[in-house]
Amino acid sequence: MVIKTLLAVSLSLLFGCQQRVVTQQSLINNSISNEDATLNQPKAKGQSRDIRIYGRKNPNPNKAILPANFKVYVKDNVVVNVSYPGFEERTLPTVNKFIGYPGCYVAAYSRRKEKSVYSVGGDIYVMGQVRVPGSYQERICLPVGYENVDISADPQFKLMFAEVLPKACKEGCWAGGDTGGWFGIQ
């Protein structure tokens, strides 16, 4: 274990400049796996449960996986994940492209109201969200390799959204990491 860690540190120092390119490619191709995260989790005796579709509850937001048909409740520019009187139920398209640990969600934003799920104000709308390798710092998802980078301007996320949310993002979406509220992070 120590040798693997020393090797990883040495390689990261040696090839640090290449890490971002590899990370960007893995966000789109998602060849990352985790021994602890298996696609089919037992649902009941003799059945399997696809966690990409049904999600996985966990008190650690970096381990939790939201269901693909994640329900949110909207009223004006307010969105919550618990039903309240006067709020309209909507489904937020959620793509669990990465099911390993740690992972977090990046939201797909657009200026198009059509096919949006809710507004965050200022003519900006949320179209869906995608789970990527990364972790939450406070309520913001910081994808691996993008810890100090503005993800909203990165073309790799735009390409990823066009691929995994084609109906909502065919005309372009940009990324934002403010999704920790789904897990109660303030």
Side-chain angles (χ1 to χ4, degrees):
M1 182 69 169
V2 174
I3 293 172
K4 285 183 181 179
T5 304
L6 290 174
L7 181 59
V9 169
S10 299
L11 289 175
S12 70
L13 291 173
L14 184 61
F15 298 108
C17 62
Q18 295 177 356
Q19 180 182 7
R20 185 158 182 241
V21 173
V22 171
T23 301
Q24 289 173 341
Q25 186 177 0
S26 71
L27 283 170
I28 293 176
N29 297 333
N30 197 24
S31 60
I32 299 172
S33 64
N34 186 320
E35 291 175 25
D36 297 331
T38 57
L39 186 57
N40 290 316
Q41 299 277 325
K43 178 180 178 185
K45 223 174 196 181
Q47 296 180 349
S48 66
R49 181 178 173 112
D50 186 340
I51 62 175
R52 289 185 196 267
I53 296 170
Y54 297 104
R56 175 178 61 206
K57 290 184 179 186
N58 194 299
N60 180 339
N62 297 310
K63 289 183 178 180
I65 297 177
L66 299 172
N69 63 346
F70 184 57
K71 301 295 183 206
V72 297
Y73 303 88
V74 179
K75 183 175 183 181
D76 301 322
N77 290 345
V78 177
V79 62
V80 294
N81 60 347
V82 177
S83 179
Y84 283 104
F87 280 66
E88 178 185 344
E89 180 182 281
R90 297 189 185 162
T91 300
L92 178 61
T94 300
V95 178
N96 293 308
K97 203 168 160 71
F98 176 73
I99 59 171
Y101 167 78
C104 56
Y105 289 89
V106 290
Y109 293 101
S110 174
R111 294 220 179 259
R112 291 184 328 120
K113 184 175 183 176
E114 178 190 348
K115 298 191 183 190
S116 70
V117 181
Y118 62 92
S119 170
V120 295
D123 292 326
I124 298 173
Y125 302 92
V126 175
M127 312 306 274
Q129 62 185 356
V130 179
R131 190 168 190 273
V132 298
S135 59
Y136 286 100
Q137 181 177 357
E138 297 181 2
R139 59 183 283 144
I140 306 299
C141 171
L142 298 177
V144 171
Y146 293 86
E147 293 83 353
N148 298 311
V149 177
D150 178 7
I151 64 173
S152 68
D154 194 288
Q156 295 299 323
F157 288 96
K158 293 176 184 185
L159 290 170
M160 178 183 68
F161 290 141
E163 177 190 321
V164 300
L165 297 167
K167 291 180 183 176
C169 293
K170 69 180 176 185
E171 294 178 24
C173 290
W174 69 90
D178 190 0
T179 58
W182 302 136
F183 305 102
I185 304 171
Q186 303 221 352

